[in-house]
Amino acid sequence: MTKLYYPLMTIESSFEVKGSEFISYLVAIGSFVEFVAQMRIKHPKAVHFVTSSRKFNLQGQIEESFSDDGEPKGTSGMPILKVLRGYDLINCGLLIVRYFGGTLLGTGGLVRAYTQGAREVVIKAKEQGALQVYTPKEKAYIQVSFAIFSQVEYLIKKFEINIIQKEFVENNVYLTIEASLENLKFFLAKVELLQYN
């Protein structure tokens, strides 16, 4: 399987074509909808806010979306999505804000401009080391006695385990955890040793 990447931070780039300014943003999917709303406030004179995104849904399938936001159909959102696919990006959104410069670019010109805008921000993200390899996460549900919980907490840090939920019931701690499959296997094996020693 091809390695997939996601952005660690928001990256911005911009360029001009025939007076029109294109400002591109590559954003982590978790804050993308909110980010687009903020940019609409920040750029009140911009005419188009073209978006595209790729993410994993709860079933582990890749979900894609795009919007031309008033640009001619197929000239902006889809070209951006193709760039996200081409660079194997996941769990991210790409927004391009356009200020119209008075000269119509035509459909070919728009496709080229939006493709360039998307490519430039992704290349900038790569150059800045802002893209991280995506590692699929697995969930697990465990119960540990309170007596060994401090040792379990040490292992949680060591194996980069993410605690989703923690519940203390009588002498036990119930945990819902998440980590890469490999880390989870090692962690659960160590916890098992602690519980039976």
Side-chain angles (χ1 to χ4, degrees), residues 106-121:
T107 52
L110 285 172
V111 170
R112 282 190 297 277
Y114 280 103
T115 301
Q116 180 185 338
R119 269 204 194 112
E120 281 185 10
V121 78

Side-chain angles (χ1 to χ4, degrees), residues 38-101:
Q38 287 170 352
M39 290 304 105
R40 284 184 184 275
I41 295 163
K42 185 181 173 183
H43 299 282
K45 291 191 164 70
V47 285
H48 300 288
F49 293 82
V50 175
T51 59
S52 187
S53 68
R54 296 184 86 211
K55 66 175 183 178
F56 280 114
N57 64 18
L58 295 172
Q59 289 73 44
Q61 302 153 321
I62 294 178
E63 221 171 73
E64 299 177 325
S65 74
F66 65 89
S67 161
D68 293 321
D69 192 45
E71 290 283 30
K73 194 175 186 308
T75 60
S76 50
M78 194 61 194
I80 296 173
L81 182 58
K82 285 180 178 173
V83 171
L84 291 180
R85 287 176 185 161
Y87 282 96
D88 300 311
L89 293 175
I90 195 71
N91 288 356
C92 66
L94 206 154
L95 163 70
I96 299 184
V97 177
R98 180 185 179 196
Y99 283 90
F100 183 58

Side-chain angles (χ1 to χ4, degrees), residues 144 148-159 161 163 166 168 173 175 187 191 194:
V144 295
I148 62 163
F149 187 59
S150 61
Q151 292 164 286
V152 171
E153 280 188 309
Y154 166 77
L155 293 172
I156 283 170
K157 283 191 183 84
K158 185 179 174 186
F159 290 104
I161 306 291
I163 298 174
K166 188 189 319 186
F168 295 92
V173 184
L175 297 170
F187 170 76
V191 169
L194 282 176

